[in-house]
Structure formats: structure tokens, C-alpha cells
Amino acid sequence: MDVMDNITRIDDLAKAGILPKEELVELLSSYSEGDRMYAAEKARETSLSVFGRKIFSRGLVEISNYCRNDCYYCGIRRSNTKAVRYRLSEDDIHYCCDWGYGAGFRTFVLQGGEDSFFTDDLLVKIIGRIKEKYSDCAVTISLGEKERASYQRLFDAGADRYLLRHETACEAHYSKLHPSSLTLANRKRCLYDLKEIGFQTGCGLMVGSPFQTRENLAEDLLFMKEFGPHMVGIGPFIPHSETPFRDCPAGSAEDSLFMVSLVRLMHPRVLLPATTALGTVRSDGREQGILAGANVVMPNISPLEARKNYLLYDNKIGTADDASESLAYVKAKIESIGYEMVPERGDYR
Ligand code: 5AD
């Protein structure tokens, strides 16, 4: 039998939405620049046929950088005593949404560390007020692992979506990135709970995280196929100087872009952001992400004080800009490649 070449693998993946694990590992291990371009072109055609040249935007509000967890890769991990901790007030958060609404955002993402200050009661109140004021907007929560009952309360308060990256679908790899208090089993439990409750649910991973193998990336693709996410966040790992992984190399833009394309081919309608991390490792990273199949951007609309300190990794872009500068910058980049940011909720269909 002929050995399958990568173009055939990409064609088969696009056609069937899946490949056997060995073929995925081989593709990820041996792809050339030409193969990557081919995958990007096919993924771009797919997103054009589903979304046209419309890019959905999400206004990202970084509500707190306090975190009870100690993930080895993350700059706001509990053990980083150098992090300058902050949390936004309710008024701050609503101010961000007011500004964001005027700027055309119809989705607000409340993201933060796992901060016990933001109790279910408080979040219910915040979500309720946003939904009451802006009934035409979606609210996305990205606040980590919680009990199912808590997720249910946030959903009942009106939250529409939840982002919780699985980080890696391999048990052994998961335990190299996290302390033993965090498990892949619980992460998956959270994801399945969220989906069952009715959230549009996002998973995702860092590309090039320490100890990650090509087999791990294949496992991520297979897990996502099984889970069926509505959203997928993919960006390169970038070291943070105050973490145990400070000396580890960043993931490559190319690998990240290739993964974006493969995810688009496997999940034609998935909401797939061109991430800030991608824009950090490569100045045209977000545009390249869109050209590789992404259809969402998440400009930061947090106050300057917050974004200066919400540092998951070093050299994060946009930390010195205000919200309108961030937005204008992202808009211009999108327009420069012939796409358009639209003032729509951009739900999964
Ligand atoms: N580099 C890139 N991405 C990171 N994240 C956390 N730390 C880093 C880092 N050093 C990602 C994780 C998390 C999301 C909010 O940010 O995947 O789920």
C-alpha cells in the first residue's frame, strides 16, 4: 500500500472530519510549509463558506488576576508573589460593557483567575445586570473550574457561553503542567457539565506547551472531535518569567496556525478566535489566524490598570493601550486582509 502523503491526509480530514490517530501524528510530525499553506487555504475556504468575510468580536473584560490555582505555565498563578493583584469592581465591569456596547460589541467575556471573591451570588448579580441592560448581547464566562450547581446558577442568570480550555487531553501531560490538585478528569467533568447545562462551550489548548508531543496534539484533536465544542481557543504557549517554565521555549506561530486550520477542517461551524497569544509571537499572527480559518477576535476592553497586570505570559500585546486603541488596532488589521468586524452576537449555529 502507498504511504499517504500530507496533502491526501489534509483532503481526507476535510472530507471526513476525522483521521486515525496514527495519520494525525504523522501529519503533525512531518508537515511542510507547503502542507501548512494548503491546510490554511482549505480551512479559509471553509470559514468563508460558513461565515463569509464577517469576523465576530468579543469584548474581553479581565475581572480579576487573583487565582487559587498554581498552574506551572501561568503568570497569575498563586505562587507568583510578584504579580500585582487586582479585581475590578462591579461598576468597573459595567463601565467596560457600557463602553463596549457603544463600540459595537455584542458579546462580553468576563475572564479571570479562580478568585473566591467573585461568589456565585455576585456573578449572578453582575450577569443579570448586563443581560437586563443589554438584552441583545451574549455573556461569556471564563472563570475556571466550578461545581455543576454553580455553572447552573450562572446559566440561569443568563450567561450564554463558557470558555474553559482543556489544556491537554493527555492525562500524563496534564500532570506535567498542573499541580496534583488539578486533574484532567475534573476538567473534562466541567466541560461536559457546561455543555449539558446548555452553555455554548469552548475548550482549547496551548500549542508548544512544555513536554507536549505531536502525539499529544493528535490526542487534543481527537478529544475535541469527541467533545464537540462550540468554541475552540488555540494559541502558542509563551513563557512567563515568574513561573517554573520561565526557560521553556515558546510554541511556534506555524504550529499554532496549522492547528487552527486542522480544527476548522474538523469543525466547520466552530467559533474559532485568532488569539492574543498568536498576535504576541508574531506581529501578523491574528491576521494569519483568520487567513488560516479563524473567525473571531477578542479585543481587550479592560481598564488600563487591569490589563497592565493581567499577565498570563511575557510580552503580551496591548497592555499599554486603552480599549479604543486596542479595538482600532484589531479592526484595522482585519480590514487590511479584506475582512470586516461585525456588531453581532455571533452565536454558534
Ligand atoms: N502562554 C500562553 N497561554 C497561556 N495561558 C495561560 N498561561 C499561558 C502562557 N504562559 C492560557 C491557558 C488558559 C488561558 C486563559 O490562557 O490556556 O486556559
Side-chain angles (χ1 to χ4, degrees):
M1 206 174 78
D2 275 348
V3 181
M4 212 193 268
D5 68 15
N6 284 337
I7 298 296
T8 310
R9 289 190 179 99
I10 293 164
D11 283 340
D12 286 2
L13 186 70
K15 220 176 291 160
I18 186 93
L19 276 185
K21 182 170 174 185
E22 316 77 66
E23 297 297 340
L24 286 173
V25 175
E26 192 51 37
L27 175 61
L28 287 158
S29 307
S30 68
Y31 79 89
S32 67
E33 189 65 5
D35 298 333
R36 182 171 76 78
M37 295 299 184
Y38 183 75
E41 201 176 297
K42 290 204 78 136
R44 182 161 73 239
E45 283 166 11
T46 302
S47 60
L48 279 170
S49 75
V50 179
F51 304 102
R53 292 183 169 272
K54 287 184 179 181
I55 300 296
F56 298 132
S57 65
R58 319 316 193 177
L60 181 64
V61 187
E62 297 162 333
I63 68 170
S64 170
N65 71 351
Y66 284 87
C67 192
R68 66 184 160 115
N69 289 329
D70 219 12
C71 308
Y72 304 145
Y73 46 84
C74 185
I76 63 169
R77 65 198 301 266
R78 183 181 66 215
S79 295
N80 180 8
T81 54
K82 295 207 177 146
V84 178
R85 304 288 170 172
Y86 75 89
R87 50 176 73 97
L88 298 186
S89 68
E90 283 179 69
D91 283 349
D92 290 334
I93 294 168
H94 294 300
Y95 176 83
C96 289
C97 297
D98 292 342
W99 183 87
Y101 192 87
F105 290 100
R106 294 296 177 266
T107 293
F108 303 112
V109 182
L110 308 184
Q111 185 175 82
E114 294 192 14
D115 178 2
S116 57
F117 178 86
F118 284 95
T119 58
D120 296 347
D121 283 340
L122 179 53
L123 289 168
V124 161
K125 187 170 167 221
I126 293 168
I127 294 163
R129 177 151 163 218
I130 297 172
K131 294 294 288 193
E132 190 182 283
K133 197 158 179 197
Y134 301 116
S135 57
D136 56 338
C137 290
V139 170
T140 303
I141 307 296
S142 180
L143 296 170
E145 297 184 354
K146 294 178 185 292
E147 295 301 319
R148 183 178 177 126
S150 297
Y151 288 146
Q152 185 70 55
R153 287 199 63 200
L154 304 185
F155 185 76
D156 293 342
D160 301 277
R161 311 190 189 123
Y162 204 103
L163 299 174
L164 181 67
R165 290 188 178 177
H166 65 283
E167 313 296 357
T168 173
C170 169
E171 203 82 63
H173 186 217
Y174 198 92
S175 69
K176 292 179 182 167
L177 301 180
H178 302 96
S180 58
S181 52
L182 293 169
T183 63
L184 180 58
N186 193 52
R187 186 59 62 107
K188 285 187 178 175
R189 189 274 302 161
C190 290
L191 284 167
Y192 281 100
D193 279 349
L194 288 162
K195 209 178 158 188
E196 272 175 33
I197 287 168
F199 282 102
Q200 292 172 49
T201 305
C203 61
L205 65 138
M206 295 175 287
V207 174
S209 61
F211 312 108
Q212 184 182 69
T213 63
R214 299 285 129 173
E215 188 181 357
N216 292 152
L217 288 174
E219 289 161 347
D220 287 322
L221 292 172
L222 292 172
F223 165 68
M224 291 192 277
K225 193 71 202 180
E226 181 182 299
F227 178 63
H230 305 99
M231 306 170 281
V232 174
I234 293 181
F237 160 76
I238 303 170
H240 185 291
S241 56
E242 297 297 330
T243 64
F245 291 159
R246 59 179 65 85
D247 295 323
C248 297
S252 78
E254 289 73 19
D255 283 344
S256 305
L257 291 165
F258 192 50
M259 283 293 285
V260 165
S261 296
L262 300 185
V263 167
R264 170 60 67 211
L265 293 175
M266 295 175 76
H267 305 264
R269 295 176 303 143
V270 82
L271 299 162
L272 186 54
T275 55
T276 305
L278 195 48
T280 295
V281 291
R282 180 170 162 166
S283 61
D284 64 349
R286 280 178 294 190
E287 301 91 287
Q288 290 305 319
I290 291 168
L291 296 172
N295 74 312
V296 171
V297 291
M298 301 174 67
N300 196 334
I301 62 168
S302 308
L304 207 52
E305 272 309 300
R307 63 177 74 209
K308 269 201 311 221
N309 295 313
Y310 195 81
L311 302 175
L312 308 186
Y313 47 81
D314 291 338
N315 308 311
K316 186 180 170 203
I317 53 172
T319 55
D321 306 340
D322 66 20
S324 68
E325 283 170 309
S326 286
L327 176 60
Y329 188 66
V330 175
K331 244 184 189 155
K333 282 179 169 278
I334 290 171
E335 285 166 12
S336 77
I337 53 169
Y339 287 71
E340 177 201 7
M341 220 165 97
V342 293
E344 296 175 18
R345 277 176 56 127
D347 286 291
Y348 182 87
R349 286 179 207 283

